[in-house]
Each structure stands twice: as C-alpha cells, then as structure tokens.
Amino acid sequence: MTLKPSVKEYLINKIRREGSVHLSLLDPEDIPLNRLPKIISDLQEAGSDGIMVGGSTLVDQEYMRSFISSIKENTNLPVIIFPNNITSVVPNADAIWFMSLLNSTNPYYITGAQMLAAPLVKKYNLEAISLAYLIIGEGKAVAFIGDAKPIPFDKPEIVAAYALAAYYLGMHFVYLEAGSGASQHVPPEMVSIVKRIAPKVMLIVGGGIRDAKTASKLVMAGADIIVTGTIVESDANRLTSLKEIVKSVKEAGMRKIKC
C-alpha cells in the first residue's frame, strides 16, 4: 500500500515541481459555516493548493472543530491549522503550523504557547510543521495580539537575519506577514534579500496581496508560497480574482524554475 505523503512533503514536492504554491487562508470568525461550501468550491476551481484555517482573533475549540469538519466535507485539499493560541489546536485538521512569533516582545508567543500546545498536538497526532513567523510593516491585528514589534519595510536585513536564525534553529518554513487586510504587501525587494541570505528556507509571504501582478512579482523575487485571505472572504468577483492570482503564482513558479 502506498502511503499518503505528509503535508510538509506535499508542499515541498509541489514547490520543487511547480516553483511555487498558493494557499488560501480562512478565518473562522469572519466566515459563517453556511458560506463555506461555496467558498471551498471556488478555491478548488481556482486551483488553490491547500487551506489554512486561523486568524488573529480568538475562536473557541468547538467552533474551530466544526469549521474544519465542514471544510473537509467539501474538499480533499490539505487543511493546516494556522494557530493564534492553544484554543486553535483541534484534532481534525491534517497538520498544524507549529510556529514561533520570533519578533514578539512576549516570550509566551515565542515558546510559551508552544509548550502548552505540544501535548495536545501529540495527543491529536497532528502533523507539526515548524514555522518561523515574522510580522512586517503595519502588522495589523496580529501584531497587537502577538505583542510584536513589526519590522519596517525598509529594513530587509533584519528580516533576513531572523530568517537565517530560524534556519539555524531547524525551522523549515519562514512566514513574512504584513497582516490581514494590510494596505501594503511585503515588498518583493525584501523577499529577494531574504531568499538570497537564507536560500534554504521555504519562504511564505502573505498580507495585502490583492492582485495577480503582485503575486507574480513576489514569486519571482523568491516566495515559495503565496497566501491570500481577505480576498477569499469577499463575495464580489472572488472566483475571478482567485483564478487570476493562482494562475499568476503557477506561471511565475514555472518561470522561476526555468531561470
């Protein structure tokens, strides 16, 4: 019998074959359960490669579990918990980003919450994918909740140093987050510098990405995974916008491989 690859293997293999991956972020607080089937249908039709579930505000475990169950009833795409606290840890996802907010000023978000969550992750047999999380620019709500000092857009060398530290600490992925609904996305120049200095990390970029051109530039600059969230929650032209963004991510990924 052929074993199903882990979510981590799935993502890395897709990046190696296609150059880049698109993930959709769904916030349980902003999306009613009755809207999920249509949203999931649109994500699949658009070609998104997986679904992250989470947000910067608090959702109880019962609703989180129901939300993920509803997603899994409507798709075979991998579902990854994107936790904001230990209340996000539920047993019915495929994996969890086991993440540390490296530029937080509060040790709880660097190692404390992880210590509390680890026994639950083991109990639920969740696949834990190590992730260094960095808040960039505005930071929005996630910076407030996580007691983070957002790194200015014009200080890419600081972000690169954090990414390199994450690699030396054994973290497999680094997430550059501008914040949900941010007015400005992470600059491609910053992505390029981070990838040059820490080339072996899998680089995730999210926040403020609203169009195909931006997504394409970020992939060509070195982003391995593009995450879009706010656009998913909108009803107006959601499918068209998602298709354009996912297509641009895939096309840029293939161009990057050929370069």
Side-chain angles (χ1 to χ4, degrees), residues 116-258:
L116 293 172
L120 281 177
V121 172
K122 182 177 181 180
K123 176 182 177 181
Y124 296 153
N125 196 31
L126 285 169
E127 179 188 345
I129 308 174
S130 62
L131 173 72
Y133 193 41
L134 295 168
I135 308 301
I136 315 295
E138 298 173 58
K140 304 293 285 186
V142 67
F144 178 81
I145 295 293
D147 287 336
K149 289 177 65 177
I151 304 169
F153 287 127
D154 63 350
K155 297 296 180 183
E157 67 278 5
I158 296 176
V159 182
Y162 266 119
L164 193 59
Y167 172 70
Y168 290 149
L169 285 166
M171 296 176 175
H172 308 125
F173 294 81
V174 173
Y175 193 152
L176 309 186
E177 170 71 274
S180 178
S183 61
Q184 184 178 346
H185 56 80
V186 174
E189 296 78 14
M190 176 179 282
V191 173
S192 179
I193 290 171
V194 173
K195 197 65 174 180
R196 175 170 56 82
I197 292 176
K200 293 186 178 181
V201 300
M202 296 288 104
L203 198 56
I204 307 171
V205 181
I209 302 170
R210 297 181 176 86
D211 58 77
K213 186 177 181 180
T214 297
S216 179
K217 285 182 177 180
L218 289 168
V219 171
M220 292 306 295
D224 298 294
I225 299 176
I226 295 294
V227 177
T228 56
T230 304
I231 196 171
V232 174
E233 298 164 7
S234 170
D235 285 320
N237 301 316
R238 176 179 58 231
L239 180 57
T240 299
S241 298
L242 278 170
K243 280 184 173 180
E244 291 174 352
I245 289 175
V246 174
K247 181 182 178 183
S248 74
V249 168
K250 301 296 183 181
E251 289 178 347
M254 294 310 296
R255 289 199 303 273
K256 187 168 63 173
I257 287 177
K258 294 175 182 178

Side-chain angles (χ1 to χ4, degrees), residues 1 7 28 46 57 60 73 104 124 137 139 149 209 215 236 238 251:
M1 184 177 75
V7 176
T57 49
D60 65 70
E73 287 170 5
S104 175
Y124 296 153
K149 289 177 65 177
I209 302 170
R238 176 179 58 231
E251 289 178 347

Side-chain angles (χ1 to χ4, degrees), residues 4-232:
K4 182 179 178 181
S6 69
V7 176
K8 178 184 171 184
E9 290 172 333
Y10 165 80
L11 293 173
I12 291 175
N13 288 339
K14 254 191 172 299
I15 291 166
R16 286 173 177 164
R17 291 196 313 268
E18 301 174 14
S20 58
V21 164
H22 177 271
L23 296 179
S24 296
L25 173 60
L26 303 183
D27 189 337
E29 189 171 48
D30 294 334
I31 302 173
L33 287 176
N34 61 1
R35 287 183 56 207
L36 262 182
K38 178 63 169 74
I39 289 174
I40 298 304
S41 175
D42 287 349
L43 295 184
Q44 291 194 122
E45 186 174 344
S48 191
D49 298 301
I51 298 170
M52 293 165 49
V53 179
S56 56
T57 49
L58 300 177
V59 173
D60 65 70
Q61 285 179 304
E62 182 178 351
Y63 187 74
M64 185 77 168
R65 189 185 303 219
S66 298
F67 194 85
I68 291 176
S69 291
S70 183
I71 293 173
K72 294 184 72 65
E73 287 170 5
N74 290 279
T75 185
N76 290 321
L77 289 173
V79 178
I80 310 171
I81 296 171
F82 183 49
N84 63 354
N85 213 319
I86 60 172
T87 54
S88 300
V89 184
V90 294
N92 54 338
D94 297 300
I96 183 170
W97 290 118
F98 202 78
M99 53 195 268
S100 176
L101 179 50
L102 294 189
N103 59 326
S104 175
T105 61
N106 187 340
Y108 177 80
Y109 294 105
I110 302 173
T111 56
Q114 295 76 7
M115 176 274 295
L116 293 172
L120 281 177
V121 172
K122 182 177 181 180
K123 176 182 177 181
Y124 296 153
N125 196 31
L126 285 169
E127 179 188 345
I129 308 174
S130 62
L131 173 72
Y133 193 41
L134 295 168
I135 308 301
I136 315 295
E138 298 173 58
K140 304 293 285 186
V142 67
F144 178 81
I145 295 293
D147 287 336
K149 289 177 65 177
I151 304 169
F153 287 127
D154 63 350
K155 297 296 180 183
E157 67 278 5
I158 296 176
V159 182
Y162 266 119
L164 193 59
Y167 172 70
Y168 290 149
L169 285 166
M171 296 176 175
H172 308 125
F173 294 81
V174 173
Y175 193 152
L176 309 186
E177 170 71 274
S180 178
S183 61
Q184 184 178 346
H185 56 80
V186 174
E189 296 78 14
M190 176 179 282
V191 173
S192 179
I193 290 171
V194 173
K195 197 65 174 180
R196 175 170 56 82
I197 292 176
K200 293 186 178 181
V201 300
M202 296 288 104
L203 198 56
I204 307 171
V205 181
I209 302 170
R210 297 181 176 86
D211 58 77
K213 186 177 181 180
T214 297
S216 179
K217 285 182 177 180
L218 289 168
V219 171
M220 292 306 295
D224 298 294
I225 299 176
I226 295 294
V227 177
T228 56
T230 304
I231 196 171
V232 174

